[in-house]
Amino acid sequence: MRDKEGKQDYRFMPEPNLPPLILYDDKSLPTYMDADQVINIDLLKERLPELPSVTRERLVEQYGILPEHSFTLVNEDGLQEYFEAVVKLSNADPKKIIGWVIKDLLGHLRQQNLTIKQSMVSPSSLAELLTLLEKRMISSSAAKQVFQDLCKEEGKTPTQIIQEKNLGLITDRGHLEDICQNIIDGHKEEVSAIQQGNLKVMHKLIGLVQKTTKGRADPVLVKTILEEKVLP
């Protein structure tokens, strides 16, 4: 039995209503032709969206985040765009931002069975909150509280919530020295343990200061003051 070898064997017939399809690339495209009027393979490649694997590699390289975080950003609809919007609007380190986006934002949305588009916390609001935290205008614990309020109250900015609830960071050294001294006076055993070399107990005193100030005390300044007062 004879094998089919050519076009005639398959009885191919040209379609008169379809013009010939000619493909070009940037090198073969004649100069007199409009690139938008012909099929330019290179132009089509430029218009193709980024492949997920390429996007993940770019996120890791560009922002220094972990590979597993890049998978989460790409796999959750809208999360990558949200993250990159926050990065553009905030002065915070992307490696800190990713923690807030995945742990706090995404964790809250999953708990409430909401999508990224349904989030009450906009990228601009989260960016503002993280910028305030980066500038040490609020403490990390206060930032967490503001975030929870943002999840409940649509329309208010982080700055408004901080002002209304008096959550700004306490940086007045004189005021903090008085608080630290009261803590020291009331915890002689802990002070003695620190002076004998158990520096881990210092964290307890810092925690007590933060408890007294409801998390508003500047932790760096508190640590400095306590060390000056307690350590020989």
Side-chain angles (χ1 to χ4, degrees), residues 152-167:
K152 301 172 186 175
E153 301 180 41
E154 189 173 12
K156 289 189 177 182
T157 67
T159 301
Q160 290 173 330
I161 294 173
I162 291 167
Q163 291 174 347
E164 289 177 3
K165 299 196 172 184
N166 195 26
L167 296 174

Side-chain angles (χ1 to χ4, degrees), residues 130-154:
L130 297 183
T131 298
L132 293 170
L133 181 60
E134 189 72 13
K135 292 181 178 180
R136 295 177 60 192
M137 298 179 69
I138 54 173
S139 65
S140 56
S141 58
K144 296 287 185 181
Q145 183 178 338
V146 174
F147 180 81
Q148 292 301 321
D149 289 342
L150 288 172
C151 292
K152 301 172 186 175
E153 301 180 41
E154 189 173 12

Side-chain angles (χ1 to χ4, degrees), residues 7 20-21 31 80 90-91 99 101 107-108 112 116 145 155 159-160 189 192-193 196 220 229:
K7 292 186 291 184
L21 181 62
T31 55
Q80 175 201 335
S90 173
N91 296 327
V101 170
H108 168 76
Q112 300 298 320
I116 301 299
Q145 183 178 338
T159 301
Q160 290 173 330
E189 291 184 6
S192 178
Q196 291 175 16
V220 176
K229 289 180 174 292

Side-chain angles (χ1 to χ4, degrees), residues 6-20:
K7 292 186 291 184
Q8 296 299 327
D9 296 322
Y10 286 95
R11 298 186 183 279
F12 286 156
M13 296 181 64
E15 169 55 59
N17 294 321
L18 294 177

Side-chain angles (χ1 to χ4, degrees), residues 90-114:
S90 173
N91 296 327
D93 185 343
K95 287 181 280 190
K96 293 181 180 179
I97 294 174
I98 192 67
W100 281 84
V101 170
I102 290 181
K103 183 179 179 182
D104 295 277
L105 177 74
L106 187 59
H108 168 76
L109 293 177
R110 284 177 173 173
Q111 189 177 34
Q112 300 298 320
N113 197 26
L114 299 173

